[in-house]
Amino acid sequence: MTARTHACFRFLSSALNLVPPLVPPHQSNSASVSSPQQSAFALPKIMSTRGATVYGVLLLFFNTLFLASGGALVVLSALLLSDTERVLLSRLLLLSPEAQRSYYPPFYYAALAMGCTGLAGCTTAFLGYWGACQKRKGLLGTLIGLLAILLLGQAALVIVLCTLPVGAKTLFGIGGILESKTLTEVLQVNFGSPGHELFTAAYDLAQYTFKCCGVLGSSDYEASWWRMQELGSREMRVPLTCCYLDNLSSDARAFLDPVPHNNTVCQAPDAKVNKIERFQQGCLPSLENWFTTQWTYAAGIVAILFGLQLSVFFSAIALCRRLPSRRRQACANSL
């Protein structure tokens, strides 16, 4: 092969290297088509991811508050069960004969209900954490269903309690304590009588705590079964808890063993004499204020819990709507 032939081969080789490789027509068309599809799916996917992240953070935030409220309810339940004086005072809510047959006071059942609600809230909150972290529609759907059941149950309970007739409210220990006539009749019949020891202790506690006597005054005991049967003694006109006591103020159980400062003056029939050692005001105003405060606390707790449940509920719905379905996610990943 001559030198001229070698030069021709070198020229052709250099010329072929300068020419770009040919692309088949079908490959070129597919490449040109796939690029717009990828760009069409990219923007909604980015927006959906950002929305899911924002609502996921909101769900975690409200869920943390919900978990804290559930734990607080469990702690409050334990504190209420240990507060025997508060629970015993709630015995005065049971005024009807049917309600008085209940062995436990209303606040005892309220504490148990509070504890169960707190445990249910904590369990639901843990499910919310799981769903927010995993971002799975199945877990979020379960969370939404549980919250819907809790919200509907609480709303139904509030509606039932608000629409109960007066007789049913008295039976279940809701209201009734404000009716002076009913409370006076119950006091005159049940105080000190056999089988009503818990009511007697509860009213002794009320008189000792609020520094009062009777319902409207000490004269309520004049026609009482306790006075006519002389269950205390012949000289006693009012219970010892109606008198100023020598017991220490820090002694929370002084109502069970009261020591009057001057029992002779306290039991004197003349009001000008006994007012020095006997409480003159009735217990009804103090009991009204005390029970109103308790119901206000309960309403505040229910309102806060209801608001947190609604926040978690709508946050879970918003996050669930932002999450792509499996079919859409598989289609986006394949492109």
Side-chain angles (χ1 to χ4, degrees), residues 33 48 60 103 146 327:
V33 173
S48 178
L60 289 175
Y103 182 77
L146 289 177
R327 183 177 180 181

Short mmCIF file of all heavy atoms in Angstrom, two decimals, residues 33 48 60 103 146 327:
data_model
loop_
_atom_site.label_atom_id
_atom_site.label_comp_id
_atom_site.label_asym_id
_atom_site.label_seq_id
_atom_site.Cartn_x
_atom_site.Cartn_y
_atom_site.Cartn_z
N VAL A 33 -40.80 13.63 22.77
CA VAL A 33 -42.11 13.55 23.39
C VAL A 33 -42.01 13.39 24.90
O VAL A 33 -42.79 13.94 25.67
CB VAL A 33 -42.91 12.40 22.76
CG1 VAL A 33 -44.21 12.19 23.52
CG2 VAL A 33 -43.18 12.69 21.30
N SER A 48 -47.39 19.02 45.27
CA SER A 48 -48.04 18.06 46.17
C SER A 48 -47.13 17.67 47.32
O SER A 48 -47.56 17.53 48.46
CB SER A 48 -48.45 16.82 45.37
OG SER A 48 -49.03 15.86 46.22
N LEU A 60 -48.48 17.02 63.04
CA LEU A 60 -47.60 16.67 64.16
C LEU A 60 -47.72 17.68 65.30
O LEU A 60 -47.71 17.30 66.47
CB LEU A 60 -46.15 16.61 63.67
CG LEU A 60 -45.77 15.43 62.77
CD1 LEU A 60 -44.35 15.58 62.27
CD2 LEU A 60 -45.94 14.11 63.51
N TYR A 103 -73.80 4.15 95.23
CA TYR A 103 -72.81 4.09 96.29
C TYR A 103 -71.73 5.14 96.10
O TYR A 103 -71.23 5.73 97.06
CB TYR A 103 -72.19 2.70 96.34
CG TYR A 103 -71.18 2.53 97.45
CD1 TYR A 103 -71.60 2.35 98.77
CD2 TYR A 103 -69.81 2.57 97.20
CE1 TYR A 103 -70.68 2.21 99.79
CE2 TYR A 103 -68.88 2.42 98.21
CZ TYR A 103 -69.32 2.24 99.50
OH TYR A 103 -68.42 2.10 100.52
N LEU A 146 -61.47 7.29 63.81
CA LEU A 146 -61.50 7.30 65.28
C LEU A 146 -61.86 8.69 65.82
O LEU A 146 -62.65 8.82 66.77
CB LEU A 146 -60.15 6.85 65.83
CG LEU A 146 -59.80 5.37 65.66
CD1 LEU A 146 -58.40 5.10 66.19
CD2 LEU A 146 -60.81 4.49 66.39
N ARG A 327 -51.56 4.50 42.31
CA ARG A 327 -51.49 4.44 40.84
C ARG A 327 -50.81 5.68 40.29
O ARG A 327 -49.95 5.59 39.41
CB ARG A 327 -52.90 4.31 40.29
CG ARG A 327 -52.95 4.17 38.78
CD ARG A 327 -54.38 3.96 38.32
NE ARG A 327 -54.46 3.84 36.88
CZ ARG A 327 -55.59 3.66 36.20
NH1 ARG A 327 -56.75 3.59 36.88
NH2 ARG A 327 -55.58 3.56 34.88
#
